[in-house]
Amino acid sequence: MSRFRSLASAAPVALRGVALGVSLLVAACASPGAGLPPLPQTASSTTTTYKLGPGDQVRVTVFNDPRLTGEFRVSDSGVIALPLVGAVPVVGRTTTEAEQSIERALRSRNLFNDPSAAVEVLQYRPVFVLGMVERGGQTPYQPGMSVLSAVATMGGFNYRAIDDYVSITRLDQNGVPQEYRGERDSLLQPGDVITVFERRF
């Protein structure tokens, strides 16, 4: 009888151990990135809401002065270097806001009383594709680019890839990286970092 009571008292402990083991096994088998928040819907990067970032190539036109007109790259520090003016901060600003920054810089240096500038994006900063693709790296951003089209430029998914969703890291309005879950048809923005997860067989 005492042996029976010992076995009976040990049973709940054993069951708890089995339950814990099953929980750990389920957690280990959970798909990577499954708990990420969904990628928020945002306006197209071709609209006037697009904010400039390092690596963007822009054309600046200062009317009535060809010396200040040309093509410039937004530097890693977030500025463009204009002749006669110097560094003008433009990172995180729309093209309209960048135009206003340039006009203020021209007035502050007494180059114009009433300057008029125009800024146009010629080439967006690239998208980066990492993880389980045939070859990782960066690819030029094109308006309307989706996850699938970006991955295709990297040779496609490899045989170990989870190919129905990815991780997308994107800077928020404050310049802080945020990680989201993106689908195959999710639209990208310049500077996005795609990570393709490895399938657990």
Side-chain angles (χ1 to χ4, degrees), residues 8 13 24 26 30 33 50 55 58 63 75 80 86 92 99 107 109 114 116 139 143-144 146 175 182 186 193 199:
V13 176
L24 293 174
V26 170
Y50 174 68
V58 299
F63 297 100
S75 72
I80 54 175
E99 291 166 359
R107 280 193 295 268
R109 289 161 177 76
D114 188 21
S116 179
T139 184
S146 68
S186 294
V193 179
R199 188 178 301 279

Side-chain angles (χ1 to χ4, degrees), residues 57-167:
Q57 192 80 12
V58 299
R59 172 181 289 279
V60 176
T61 302
V62 177
F63 297 100
N64 299 322
D65 196 332
R67 297 174 301 171
L68 299 172
T69 296
E71 297 180 7
F72 305 91
R73 178 185 176 275
V74 181
S75 72
D76 292 339
S77 58
V79 303
I80 54 175
L82 296 181
L84 307 178
V85 177
V88 179
V90 296
V91 73
R93 303 178 185 182
T94 65
T95 53
T96 299
E97 292 168 341
E99 291 166 359
Q100 295 168 351
S101 296
I102 293 170
E103 291 167 357
R104 284 194 297 269
L106 293 171
R107 280 193 295 268
S108 68
R109 289 161 177 76
N110 297 317
L111 295 173
F112 290 91
N113 291 325
D114 188 21
S116 179
V119 176
E120 173 191 5
V121 179
L122 297 178
Q123 183 175 352
Y124 296 95
R125 57 192 185 274
V127 168
F128 299 86
V129 185
L130 310 174
M132 298 295 103
V133 291
E134 290 300 328
R135 57 182 186 276
Q138 66 181 46
T139 184
Y141 173 82
Q142 299 294 332
M145 175 177 274
S146 68
V147 167
L148 190 59
S149 57
V151 170
T153 66
M154 297 290 104
F157 298 102
N158 69 26
Y159 75 96
R160 294 183 297 172
I162 295 176
D163 59 6
D164 52 351
Y165 69 91
V166 298
S167 159

